[in-house]
Structures are given as structure tokens and as C-alpha cells.
Amino acid sequence: MIEIIVNGEVRVITDEEDIPLLWVLRDHLNLTGTKFGCGVGLCGTCTVLLDGEPVRSCQVYMSDLGDREIRTIEGIAGGGDLAAVAARVQGAWIAEQVPQCGYCQSGMIVAATALLARDPDPSDDRIDETMTNICRCGTYTRVRAAIHRAAKGT
Ligand code: FES
Ligand code: FES
């Protein structure tokens, strides 16, 4: 049995296996906003925050967590230090109509929130080097526009 902190709540996981966090979020806690893509740390669709830092949850194991706080797309705007930034990002995503199929977008929003928390007004180059999430629908231009909009707070 292990206790983890997800979106501000202590959750008890009874699975004894040292499985990836992504499996725990989706299969044990029914937090299915975090998506499975490649499973090998490349696509970023499984991105969550660990103590405010973006991580690829398919590559983080239960034994890596300790008492660090996990924030998923379901809880990113609901509390914690990043709530205001996350709310601006989500508003900008709607205003710029970023999503196409939507599959990659929760990971994109989590990564963009972490970027803006560190760098409130990132350049295009900074956005491109930081946002390494893969989008099959090619929403990269809109992602960039939404990050600039969120940085301006509009
Ligand atoms: S599913 Fe984790 S990086 Fe692709
Ligand atoms: S919006 Fe379809 S994969 Fe990104």
C-alpha cells in the first residue's frame, strides 16, 4: 500500500507493483484526462506536474514519487500555486481554439502551464524548445499563439 498526493488529496494505492504513475492515474484513480500515447517518454501526452515540474508520467514509477505532489489536467486549475496560471492557459486555449482531435491537448496544457510559471513571457524560441509534446494534428502554431495570449492575460 502506498499513499500519494494527487490534486491536493491523499490517495491510497493498494497495488504492490512498482508501476508507472500513468497507469495509476488512469486505471486506479480514473483520472483519464492524462493520456497514453507512446509509453516510452517521447510524445508528452501523459504529462503531469510533480511539485510543479512537468514529467512524463509513463516514465515515473511509484517508487520515484515520495511525498511530491502530483497535479493532473483535472486538478491543475483547481488549487495550488499554479492555479491562476493554469486558468489563464485554459482560457487562452479556448480563445485560440487550439484543439483538433484533442488527444494530445491535456499534456500540452500542463506543459504550457509549467512553462509560463517559470517564464511569464516566453519567446517563440523558448516555446519551441520547451514544448516538446507531439501533436499529430499539427496544432503547434495555435499552441504558440495561446501561450502568448495567456502570457498577456487576455
Ligand atoms: S505516453 Fe508518456 S511520453 Fe508518450
Ligand atoms: S490535437 Fe490531435 S493530436 Fe494534438
Side-chain angles (χ1 to χ4, degrees):
M1 189 178 85
I2 183 171
E3 289 187 351
I4 60 175
I5 307 165
V6 184
N7 298 333
E9 289 180 32
V10 176
R11 307 295 298 265
V12 177
I13 309 299
T14 52
D15 198 318
E16 296 292 333
E17 281 184 73
D18 193 17
I19 54 177
L21 175 58
L22 177 59
W23 276 226
V24 172
L25 294 173
R26 291 183 57 83
D27 296 346
H28 292 249
L29 301 179
N30 202 28
L31 292 169
T32 53
T34 305
K35 304 300 185 196
F36 172 78
C38 65
V40 293
L42 296 174
C43 71
T45 194
C46 66
T47 303
V48 300
L49 299 179
L50 206 52
D51 277 352
E53 291 298 317
V55 296
R56 296 190 168 180
S57 62
C58 68
Q59 300 300 299
V60 175
Y61 282 75
M62 296 301 285
S63 58
D64 300 327
L65 291 174
D67 59 1
R68 292 186 288 174
E69 188 191 6
I70 302 146
R71 284 261 163 205
T72 69
I73 188 68
E74 290 89 350
I76 197 170
D81 296 343
L82 297 182
V85 178
R88 278 210 319 276
V89 169
Q90 290 180 339
W93 243 248
I94 293 167
E96 295 291 340
Q97 299 187 26
V98 176
Q100 295 298 303
C101 80
Y103 197 80
C104 72
Q105 294 293 317
S106 54
M108 287 278 192
I109 288 171
V110 170
T113 299
L115 167 61
L116 284 166
R118 282 196 301 267
D119 184 346
D121 190 16
S123 65
D124 284 344
D125 285 348
R126 176 96 168 111
I127 292 170
D128 291 347
E129 76 190 20
T130 307
M131 297 292 296
T132 56
N133 303 46
I134 293 171
C135 174
R136 289 183 306 178
C137 301
T139 60
Y140 303 108
T141 307
R142 290 185 188 189
V143 165
R144 195 197 269 176
I147 290 172
H148 286 308
R149 180 185 280 263
K152 291 192 191 95
T154 58

